[in-house]
Structures are given as C-alpha cells and as structure tokens.
Amino acid sequence: MTAPIAPITQDVLTIPRKLPEGGKQNLVGLTRDQLRDTLIAAGTPERQANMRVGQVWQWIYHWGVRDFAQMTNLAKDYRSLLADNFVVDLPELVTRQISADGTRKYLVRIAGGHEVEVVYIPEETRGTLCISSQVGCTLTCSFCHTGTQKLVRNLTAGEIVGQVMLARDDLGEWPVPGAPKDETRRISNVVLMGMGEPLYNFENVRDAMKVVMDGEGLSLSRRRITLSTSGIVPEIARAAEEIGCLLAVSFHATTDAVRDKLVPVNKKWNIETLLNTLRDYPRLSNSERITFEYVMLKGVNDTDADAKRLVKLIQGIPAKINLIPFNEWPGAPYERSDWERIEAFADIVYKAGYASPIRTPRGEDIMAACGQLKSATERSRKSRAEIAAEAGL
Ligand code: SAH
Ligand code: SF4
C-alpha cells in the first residue's frame, strides 16, 4: 500500500449527460428507473409510466428504432411529447477498419470530440464485442498502449451502451419486424476489455450493463459479459453484487516486484490483497470461474518458475488462465515470448488442473489486438520516457 497513484475524482472526470439538439435529453443509457423518472418529469402521467417505459424501452433496445415517429404503438400526441423533449442518440462512428481475419475496429467519437475504439471479433461459434469504458486510462501498465495515453474522461452509460448499438447497426443485427426469429447472434458476448479501467468508472459501467443485460432489449445474459480489471480491490465485490457479470483480472506476474512494474496499481493493492479479495468473490463457483489474464512478455514473466508460482498462488480459486501473447505497438518496451515458451508455460498450468487457453491475436494488421488500442487523435499523451520512468524500467 505505498506509491502515489493518481487520485480518481469521478466528479471531475464524468461529464453530465449530454444534451444534444437544443437541450434535448438523450434517452440511451438510462436505466429503467431513470427512464421512468425522466418520462414523468416530461409530463407522462405516473399511472402510465411503467407501461411507457416498457414501450419506449422495447423500441430503442429491441428494435433499434431512433425516431419517435416510428414508435407506432404510441399515440401521436405522446410521440410528439417525446420528440419535443428527447433524442435517441448514439456516439458518432468515425471510421471502420476490417482486418484480414474479419475483426472490425471502429473509431467512435463522443461528446467533446474525444475518441474511443471498439473491436468486434467474429469466431466460429460466437462473436465478441470489446468495448471501452474510458478515454485513455489513469493507470499506466507499461505493456499497454492505452496506458500511454492520459485519462481524458470517463464514458457516460449512454456512450457505453451506444458502442453496442453502433456495432449492431454495422453488423445489421437489429430484428426485422415480422421476420422469423434469428437465434444466432452476431454479438453474442461483450467484454469490457477495450480502453480504460472499468472499475474506475463504476456507476456508468454498471448502469450500461444493466441496460445491455435487460431481457426486453439487447438481452445479453450476465454470463456473456466479462469485465476485465487490473485489480481495483475495493470495487471487485461490488462488481459481483451490483453488476453480476463474469470477471477477468489482469494478473500478468507472480511476484510483487514484477507486477509493480507491469501493473503499477499493484503498489496499492498487491498480489496477496488481490488474491484474498478474489477468493471472497461472491459469485465464485466452478461454472463462473475467474479468468486470470496473463500477458506473455519475453524474459520478463514467462519462465517455468513463473508458471509454477502462478498455479500455487491461485490454488483454491476456481479459475482459468488466459495467456495473451504480447501485442506490439510503436515504442513498446517489450517483446512477445517465443511460441514454444508460451506453450511450455501453458502446459505447466494445464497439468496443474487449470484451463490455459492461449489467446489468438486478432486484428493485428489494424492494431485491434488486446492492448493496442489508443485514439491516435488524442493530443494528451505521455512520452516514451515518461512511460519508461513510471514503469521503473
Ligand atoms: N483495463 C482493463 C481492461 C483492459 S484490456 C484491464 O487492465 O484489465 C484487456 C487485457 O489486455 C488486459 O488483461 C490487459 O492487461 C491486456 N493487454 C494490455 N496491453 C496488452 C498488449 N500490448 N498485449 C497483450 N495484452 C495486453
Ligand atoms: Fe489501463 Fe488496463 Fe491498459 Fe492497464 S491494461 S493501462 S488498466 S487499459
């Protein structure tokens, strides 16, 4: 519990919900309760409020409708009341790049002109959308491209949900009225593994996930959502209680000395503290194992001794170990471990009784792989020297 870590002040970092188009409020990202209050404040009679919430919700999140005029089961007067007060507004899609392997990377612009990246990864049996929770990051993990960019601000709940909706637009995934129900979903999973530390934007991430998980809208089950954290100990149990999704932890090292350098927040909550918290994770069970992410850095954290220490450390925690071959970015101070090394490491972990999948890098040609995201246009960035100094390299 040493070292000064940049203080996190939610108030400063979070902008108020944006009021686009002549001060009209955006409905995207409001939880059901917030939507109810908002509709009542605009003149919806209280006795109708629950019904109206259900109707508007279904139009926005099930059908993907943005124009109140198309919400045809609402009376005309009520449609005009909505149109006079509200908008259904998404962040702006700036560019879309498609990798040779089918991975799509979207650059998305949010209020204030800031940009974040969103990645869609199609696989044979599922499609995963990797979304961002912050512009930049307060943390400075030395192997992560986002960590070289200062935190600009937290995303609002609407901006987080908006990323899922934008991707659905692009993938043509909204249901067509009257068409037979399509059971295959192009976005079957969502991972909070893009830019930012989701647990440092807790309320907005929680509210956004509530919207995404709601059964009458986007309807992704909580077990298809994975939140990845660098290890913000005080928020971990809260995530289980208030969000209830699956958890991944960026572990990456088996001694505090090495983890301090790779994931500097370790100086605040070290390996032992983190593991104790994970042991108490309220939802822990064999069917809801915690994923330990482990980036493979040549000569830094990839020896047999590391693998053995790792399995010893996590003993008793239902877990799987996701090995991530390091993805390079311009100026990165590390190299990817050799393939044989990664396999030898995986083998030790596997023989100790843990699943140890090696994550196939996807979308490398468009810089969409894990840890490569960074909005190129952001001016507020750290120099190479600053990154190296912070990492103690
Ligand atoms: N901020 C969250 C989510 C981030 S990214 C977190 O740190 O957990 C998802 C995963 O990619 C994390 O485990 C992160 O440590 C890892 N990662 C970051 N940079 C990487 C890189 N260059 N190569 C491979 N993995 C990387
Ligand atoms: Fe931030 Fe996660 Fe990157 Fe660390 S790995 S700098 S917590 S985005």
Side-chain angles (χ1 to χ4, degrees), residues 161-220:
V161 176
Q163 295 173 53
V164 179
M165 296 172 75
L166 271 182
R168 283 202 116 190
D169 286 356
D170 182 55
L171 296 165
E173 211 193 7
W174 296 104
V176 178
K181 201 168 173 217
D182 181 2
E183 296 295 344
T184 55
R185 294 189 60 159
R186 298 196 72 187
I187 302 174
S188 61
N189 295 67
V190 166
V191 294
L192 282 147
M193 294 188 186
M195 298 164 66
E197 168 49 61
L199 295 186
Y200 273 151
N201 186 13
F202 192 93
E203 282 81 10
N204 290 327
V205 166
R206 177 198 57 204
D207 290 353
M209 291 307 106
K210 274 191 189 158
V211 173
V212 170
M213 292 187 286
D214 189 288
E216 281 167 44
L218 296 164
S219 199
L220 276 170

Side-chain angles (χ1 to χ4, degrees), residues 71-147:
M71 301 188 177
T72 45
N73 61 348
L74 303 176
K76 274 216 167 108
D77 286 355
Y78 194 66
R79 282 184 247 164
S80 348
L81 176 139
L82 293 175
D84 288 344
N85 290 282
F86 306 117
V87 287
V88 179
D89 193 33
L90 301 191
E92 181 192 347
L93 182 58
V94 183
T95 56
R96 181 189 72 177
Q97 287 171 277
I98 304 185
S99 155
D101 70 14
T103 300
R104 292 173 182 226
K105 181 167 85 170
Y106 307 104
L107 181 67
V108 169
R109 187 174 295 141
I110 55 170
H114 306 301
E115 289 169 351
V116 290
E117 293 183 325
V118 184
V119 179
Y120 174 69
I121 308 142
E123 289 173 275
E124 246 166 58
T125 54
R126 62 182 185 178
T128 303
L129 190 71
C130 177
I131 59 174
S132 293
S133 56
Q134 298 182 312
V135 184
C137 189
T138 41
L139 303 178
T140 52
C141 304
S142 50
F143 53 89
C144 172
H145 205 199
T146 310

Side-chain angles (χ1 to χ4, degrees), residues 143-144 193 196 228-230 250 252 293 295 324 326-327 329 370-371:
F143 53 89
C144 172
M193 294 188 186
S228 176
T229 178
S230 56
S250 296
H252 304 323
E293 296 163 288
V295 63
I324 318 177
F326 173 61
N327 296 309
W329 38 270
C370 297

